[in-house]
Amino acid sequence: MFKINSLLTAVTLACSVSAVNAWDALPREAPAPADNPTTPEKVALGKMLYHDPRLSSTGTVSCSSCHNTMLGGEDNRPNSMGVNGQTGGRSAPTVWNAAFNAVQFWDGRAESLEAQAAGPVTNPIEMGMKSWDDVVARLNTIEGYKKAFADAFGGNAISKDTATKAIAAYERTLITPNSPYDKFVSGEKSALTEQEVRGMNKVAELGCTGCHSGPAFNGPGMFQKFPMHSNGMYQAKYHFNKDLGLAEVTKKSEDEHKFKVPTLRNIALTAPYFHNGAVKTLDEAVKVMAKLQLDKELSTEELSDIVAFLNALTGEFPEQKMPVLPPTPGTTFN
Amino acid sequence: MFKINSLLTAVTLACSVSAVNAWDALPREAPAPADNPTTPEKVALGKMLYHDPRLSSTGTVSCSSCHNTMLGGEDNRPNSMGVNGQTGGRSAPTVWNAAFNAVQFWDGRAESLEAQAAGPVTNPIEMGMKSWDDVVARLNTIEGYKKAFADAFGGNAISKDTATKAIAAYERTLITPNSPYDKFVSGEKSALTEQEVRGMNKVAELGCTGCHSGPAFNGPGMFQKFPMHSNGMYQAKYHFNKDLGLAEVTKKSEDEHKFKVPTLRNIALTAPYFHNGAVKTLDEAVKVMAKLQLDKELSTEELSDIVAFLNALTGEFPEQKMPVLPPTPGTTFN
């Protein structure tokens, strides 16, 4: 069905939207890497692991604690709260449509969902496990996991590699299609209001789509410097510059303040905003972005048109069954 | 179907189990109070509230964080971890089949699920909200909740009263029927092994069912003194006496160390054990109970028979859809 979107999109654009760039609907399926094809067994296992707080040292924090699959894929907090009430310096990115990110984490240090999934589990302020060996040892005491891993990967399969593959396979199913925007670019012209269409045009005209383009509004480049333009007031208020971004990983001066371009999908659901969660509302975030990245002051009307359009990027959340997590009858780790 | 259980049970017992007391299967439905009849709209709303971390001050702790509906209805920790990593002195009781408890909390201070639901939300070390007025104010900023409360209760309905009623209505659906025990007492004699039947007889013979009887193995009395018999070794090891139980509420000396009789349903899934979560395994918990309540030492065989029977009280968990929590587009509390 979505194979014909480009054509429909082109037709639609000719009528109502300035064709600065292609407007793509969100694919219904995410591509999987060659060494981790998506299977129902992996997805079922990954869903259990993703929601299992026993992957944390205290048994209180699961992936879903900070990347909440019942909300907008994160926790609506400036910084997430890991084990023992600890907080870090960055805001949790949404897991919804993360499968369409070219790189993961704010600093892009993971090249795949698989690599990303390995990180928080052993981060001392996130899930706090001492090592993946400890995680594997713990999972090996849960009979139901032994079976689920064998079903998904065959044999005696519990390892860091298979656990992160299963989590990534599940995350590839977390896609939110059918936003008003998607319907619009698929030919349903009444799906967007006039104001939302104005916002869509404005986003292209101003140049937001220079970085936020493609079906997930997070490409084509992987990284972008932020802020591009210095601004004393915003710096004093939001302290964006404290975080060096990619340079925290590469230690290269040319990578300072480079961040992964985040998706705009469901952006209305993921306040507060920016890598440090310093900006509480979407209105303010758009204003700040226009100033710091494009050196532009938005009029009140432009701002409300753009925010209206961004709200139209909220998709439909797939119905999910709650996993029943396999027990350790008669005993506990904790 | 379950209306004929008593008859079937009586027949079964005559064959294989000493008829010290009636053996009842778990009802499929929990009775609701006259002022809170269960409706699908209340259950849907209650399910959202139950899983919503925004009912806590930090936005990180939902009812399900400690009473996990994906696990055995609690968190498998000695003491739960509330907001900002705080812990209290008691172990979270399971929410599964809590609808069949005559009273709630370990000290029985709540007479209904509705009254119980009001407590943790404003407990400073659990969910940490300053007041229910604050909770109601927060819920009122979430459009989706306004609608869901109106659907469930009509009109401008968000209040402590309606929120706790909805949560209780949802909890009344959290029933785990069809354990091997239930099948056995409903006539399916092959549902229990010989060892499990021996354990069932032993539980009656020893007198465990003096307190743990009825379909949820938590009646007929509401409270029981624990420990009944003093034991220096266990006291030194597990510190059971530190908690005064009911007397913490009533301040009466005759209520000291009285606790709600907990259900034995799914007991294999709710380690660690006792009000303070001090005992890590079910084997040890049974041994301790026999000694402290009945002044009996169990043989190795008796112990393993009883534990086998208790494992046969693990029921079937109903399939649940994950709630999609209503958003606050473009903003956040946190």
Side-chain angles (χ1 to χ4, degrees):
Chain A
M1 173 178 172
F2 280 86
K3 287 181 184 162
I4 56 165
N5 278 348
S6 308
L7 182 61
L8 282 169
T9 305
V11 174
T12 308
L13 291 172
C15 305
S16 58
V17 170
S18 56
V20 175
N21 67 330
W23 297 101
D24 300 315
L26 195 66
R28 300 281 179 132
E29 287 187 13
D35 68 344
N36 191 23
T38 305
T39 66
E41 292 78 11
K42 280 186 210 167
V43 171
L45 169 60
K47 189 202 256 185
M48 291 194 284
L49 293 169
Y50 188 91
H51 291 93
D52 198 329
R54 294 171 298 179
L55 263 69
S56 66
S57 58
T58 54
T60 59
V61 178
S62 70
C63 304
S64 192
S65 298
C66 305
H67 305 278
N68 194 333
T69 48
M70 299 184 194
L71 280 165
E74 43 90 84
D75 55 6
N76 291 131
R77 286 175 47 87
N79 311 124
S80 295
M81 192 170 279
V83 292
N84 297 308
Q86 298 173 99
T87 54
R90 288 185 183 152
S91 191
T94 180
V95 71
W96 293 107
N97 311 304
F100 300 110
N101 294 337
V103 291
Q104 308 292 344
F105 293 116
W106 274 104
D107 55 24
R109 67 186 182 277
E111 288 187 357
S112 66
L113 290 172
E114 286 80 356
Q116 190 283 327
V121 177
T122 53
N123 182 315
I125 63 171
E126 297 185 42
M127 298 168 81
M129 291 297 289
K130 282 202 186 123
S131 68
W132 266 96
D133 284 348
D134 283 6
V135 180
V136 170
R138 189 180 278 192
L139 291 173
N140 263 313
T141 66
I142 305 175
E143 285 302 315
Y145 273 130
K146 281 194 198 171
K147 183 180 179 318
F149 274 87
D151 288 351
F153 297 99
N156 183 9
I158 303 184
S159 68
K160 175 184 176 183
D161 180 60
T162 50
T164 55
K165 277 181 172 163
I167 291 170
Y170 168 61
E171 290 174 334
R172 290 196 175 91
T173 69
L174 298 179
I175 299 173
T176 63
N178 272 339
S179 70
Y181 161 83
D182 291 300
K183 291 177 185 166
F184 181 82
V185 298
S186 301
E188 193 185 316
K189 289 178 107 181
S190 63
L192 292 187
T193 66
E194 278 182 33
Q195 185 184 33
E196 288 160 356
V197 173
R198 279 202 308 274
M200 186 170 165
N201 280 321
K202 187 56 70 181
V203 153
E205 183 195 317
L206 288 171
C208 309
T209 47
C211 296
H212 293 287
S213 68
F217 293 84
N218 63 349
M222 290 183 221
F223 292 97
Q224 184 59 40
K225 194 177 171 209
F226 172 83
M228 286 287 285
H229 303 274
S230 65
N231 180 295
M233 184 187 75
Y234 286 145
Q235 177 53 24
K237 204 165 172 185
Y238 299 128
H239 310 286
F240 294 131
N241 279 333
K242 274 176 70 179
D243 189 326
L244 296 182
L246 181 59
E248 306 262 3
V249 185
T250 65
K251 311 294 177 195
K252 293 181 185 168
S253 61
E254 67 263 35
D255 290 336
E256 282 182 11
H257 308 299
K258 279 191 185 164
F259 290 93
K260 173 188 73 175
V261 177
T263 181
L264 299 183
R265 292 274 172 185
N266 306 304
I267 190 75
L269 308 187
T270 62
Y273 297 101
F274 296 100
H275 58 273
N276 60 356
V279 173
K280 198 157 176 169
T281 69
L282 185 53
D283 287 52
E284 176 73 355
V286 170
K287 220 166 120 184
V288 168
M289 278 299 278
K291 189 68 193 162
L292 292 185
Q293 299 305 89
L294 305 167
D295 199 21
K296 283 175 184 157
E297 310 265 358
L298 300 180
S299 72
T300 309
E301 201 204 340
E302 284 173 328
L303 179 61
S304 69
D305 289 352
I306 292 172
V307 169
F309 171 64
L310 293 176
N311 270 279
L313 295 178
T314 300
E316 285 177 9
F317 291 81
E319 221 170 60
Q320 294 194 78
K321 279 186 209 154
M322 268 190 218
V324 175
L325 303 179
T328 49
T331 189
T332 171
F333 316 112
N334 293 306
Chain B
M1 175 181 173
F2 281 86
K3 288 179 184 166
I4 55 164
N5 279 347
S6 309
L7 182 60
L8 282 170
T9 305
V11 174
T12 307
L13 291 172
C15 306
S16 57
V17 171
S18 55
V20 175
N21 65 332
W23 297 101
D24 299 316
L26 195 66
R28 298 281 179 134
E29 287 187 13
D35 68 345
N36 191 24
T38 305
T39 66
E41 292 78 12
K42 279 186 210 167
V43 171
L45 169 61
K47 190 202 257 186
M48 290 194 286
L49 294 169
Y50 188 92
H51 291 94
D52 199 330
R54 295 171 299 180
L55 264 69
S56 67
S57 59
T58 53
T60 58
V61 178
S62 70
C63 304
S64 191
S65 298
C66 306
H67 305 278
N68 195 333
T69 48
M70 300 183 193
L71 280 165
E74 44 89 84
D75 56 6
N76 290 130
R77 285 175 47 87
N79 311 126
S80 295
M81 192 170 279
V83 291
N84 297 308
Q86 297 173 99
T87 54
R90 287 185 183 152
S91 190
T94 181
V95 71
W96 294 105
N97 310 305
F100 299 109
N101 294 338
V103 290
Q104 308 291 344
F105 292 116
W106 275 104
D107 55 23
R109 68 186 181 276
E111 287 186 357
S112 65
L113 290 173
E114 285 80 356
Q116 190 282 328
V121 177
T122 53
N123 183 316
I125 62 171
E126 297 185 40
M127 296 167 81
M129 291 297 289
K130 282 202 185 121
S131 69
W132 266 95
D133 284 349
D134 283 6
V135 180
V136 170
R138 189 179 279 192
L139 292 174
N140 264 312
T141 66
I142 305 175
E143 284 304 314
Y145 273 130
K146 282 193 197 172
K147 185 181 177 317
F149 274 88
D151 288 351
F153 296 100
N156 184 9
I158 304 184
S159 68
K160 175 183 176 182
D161 180 60
T162 51
T164 53
K165 277 180 171 161
I167 291 170
Y170 167 61
E171 291 174 335
R172 290 197 175 91
T173 70
L174 299 179
I175 298 173
T176 63
N178 271 339
S179 69
Y181 161 84
D182 291 299
K183 291 177 184 165
F184 180 82
V185 298
S186 301
E188 192 186 317
K189 290 178 106 181
S190 64
L192 291 188
T193 65
E194 277 181 33
Q195 184 184 31
E196 288 160 355
V197 173
R198 279 202 308 273
M200 185 171 166
N201 280 320
K202 186 55 70 180
V203 153
E205 183 194 319
L206 288 171
C208 311
T209 47
C211 296
H212 293 286
S213 68
F217 293 84
N218 61 349
M222 290 181 220
F223 293 95
Q224 185 58 40
K225 193 176 171 210
F226 172 82
M228 288 286 285
H229 303 275
S230 65
N231 180 295
M233 184 186 75
Y234 286 144
Q235 177 54 23
K237 203 166 174 188
Y238 299 128
H239 309 286
F240 294 131
N241 280 334
K242 274 177 71 178
D243 189 327
L244 295 182
L246 182 58
E248 306 261 2
V249 185
T250 65
K251 312 293 179 197
K252 292 182 186 167
S253 61
E254 68 262 35
D255 291 335
E256 283 181 10
H257 308 298
K258 279 191 185 163
F259 291 92
K260 173 189 74 177
V261 178
T263 180
L264 299 183
R265 292 272 172 188
N266 306 305
I267 191 74
L269 309 187
T270 62
Y273 298 101
F274 296 101
H275 58 273
N276 60 356
V279 174
K280 198 158 178 170
T281 68
L282 185 53
D283 287 51
E284 175 74 355
V286 170
K287 220 166 121 183
V288 168
M289 278 300 278
K291 188 68 193 161
L292 293 185
Q293 297 306 88
L294 305 167
D295 199 21
K296 283 176 183 156
E297 311 264 359
L298 300 179
S299 71
T300 308
E301 197 202 343
E302 285 173 328
L303 179 61
S304 69
D305 289 352
I306 291 172
V307 169
F309 172 64
L310 293 176
N311 269 280
L313 295 177
T314 299
E316 285 177 8
F317 292 81
E319 221 171 59
Q320 294 194 79
K321 278 185 208 154
M322 269 190 217
V324 175
L325 303 179
T328 51
T331 190
T332 171
F333 316 112
N334 294 307

